Amino acid sequence: MVHFVGAGPGAPDLITRRGAALLRQADCIIYAGSLVNPALLALAPDGCRVYNSAEMTLEEVLAVVATVEQAQGNTVRLHTGDPCLYGAIREQMDALDAAGVPYDDTPGVSSFCGAAAALNAEYTLPGISQTVIITRLAGRTPVPEGEALAGLAAHGASMVIFLSAGMLGGVQAALLQGAYTPDTPAALVYKATWPEERVIRCTVGSLAQNGRVAGITKTALVLVGGFLGGGYTRSKLYDPGFTTGYRKGEPV
Ligand code: SAH
């Protein structure tokens, strides 16, 4: 059987207990290259075969899985963050379905959560934004036309941009075509939750320059929006005057 597992954003103690248990029982681990902390591979039992999928094609991954299946073993397919974001898991699952190989999926802490934690930030600040847009800039991998960054930027929502740290000039230009201004708060978070984590708070207008000066071109997220600035309204949930199903509000 194949277990897709989210490794979390980097810190080895941010994998789930279920994910760690699956690693300890694996006959084979296929991990997603440098984005997975090597400390997690140390959980592999003696005799476990370990492969780096960054050096493999989909066909090669499937061939390894097939040999493990023949021996009735368990493969852990270890993806960074949560497998559901830019993990290319669907094509693997469809191929496993076609081959009659069973699989399941154990979630992980995505890097967009790790980056928010590094900034002590809340994406959904009342009065600022109640929406998080997760996207990327079109590069060698295209993005559907209706999802061009400049178009999504029209909403002015909280935004997390993956896989685009090497194109910060393009990111900045696209953001400025939307609802953001040069003064809109932004941040670059490099290797969130790793020991070498770096957090750069800046503005949309200074994003590309900050990335250049810091020499950040990969393994980073761009966060954008008013949630990184001051000014918001209090939550209703914890407002003394607001009645919920669990608490009666008092006039204030
Ligand atoms: N499934 C992963 C994303 C894989 S795509 C997740 O849920 O996080 C790879 C991209 O994710 C990187 O190019 C970078 O933009 C981002 N990324 C992954 N780990 C990161 C980390 N620890 N800090 C900052 N960005 C990270």
Side-chain angles (χ1 to χ4, degrees):
M1 161 151 200
V2 176
H3 301 288
F4 291 89
V5 172
D13 56 348
L14 284 178
I15 194 170
T16 63
R17 290 172 63 171
R18 187 189 299 178
L22 289 166
L23 284 174
R24 289 196 184 92
Q25 291 157 21
D27 299 296
C28 172
I29 297 171
I30 308 174
Y31 70 98
S34 62
L35 289 177
V36 169
N37 195 319
L40 289 173
L41 305 176
L43 298 178
D46 286 347
C48 177
R49 287 188 281 156
V50 179
Y51 297 86
N52 176 359
S53 66
E55 297 160 357
M56 299 164 79
T57 62
L58 171 62
E59 286 72 12
E60 286 167 343
V61 168
L62 294 169
V64 169
V65 167
T67 59
V68 180
E69 286 302 303
Q70 264 164 18
Q72 297 185 336
N74 280 316
T75 299
V76 169
R77 181 68 174 100
L78 191 60
H79 284 273
T80 147
D82 189 288
C84 76
L85 289 172
Y86 307 109
I89 55 168
R90 175 62 188 271
E91 63 190 22
Q92 298 175 69
M93 291 175 173
D94 284 348
L96 295 176
D97 280 338
V101 175
Y103 56 85
D104 61 16
D105 186 2
T106 297
V109 178
S110 175
S111 59
F112 84 91
C113 300
L119 290 154
N120 292 324
E122 176 180 349
Y123 289 117
T124 52
L125 268 190
I128 300 292
S129 178
Q130 292 291 289
T131 305
V132 187
I133 296 177
I134 288 173
T135 190
R136 66 182 296 171
L137 188 66
R140 287 204 298 160
T141 300
V143 164
E145 214 176 281
E147 296 176 14
L149 190 55
L152 296 180
H155 298 282
S158 301
M159 197 181 270
V160 187
I161 305 161
F162 282 71
L163 293 160
S164 307
M167 305 180 281
L168 291 180
V171 169
Q172 178 173 329
L175 293 174
L176 290 173
Q177 284 175 46
Y180 308 107
T181 69
D183 292 334
T184 301
L188 258 176
V189 182
Y190 171 75
K191 293 199 100 174
T193 83
W194 290 72
E196 56 269 48
E197 171 186 288
R198 286 166 77 192
V199 170
I200 298 170
R201 290 181 184 265
C202 57
T203 58
V204 171
S206 65
L207 186 60
Q209 194 207 344
N210 272 279
R212 222 176 8 254
V213 170
I216 294 175
T217 55
K218 59 180 185 173
T219 327
L221 291 172
V222 178
L223 281 62
V224 188
F227 75 100
L228 290 170
Y232 57 91
T233 54
R234 266 189 69 158
S235 68
K236 294 282 184 208
L237 186 61
Y238 298 110
D239 184 332
F242 192 69
T243 297
T244 73
Y246 301 98
R247 184 175 63 75
K248 183 156 167 26
E250 305 287 345
V252 278

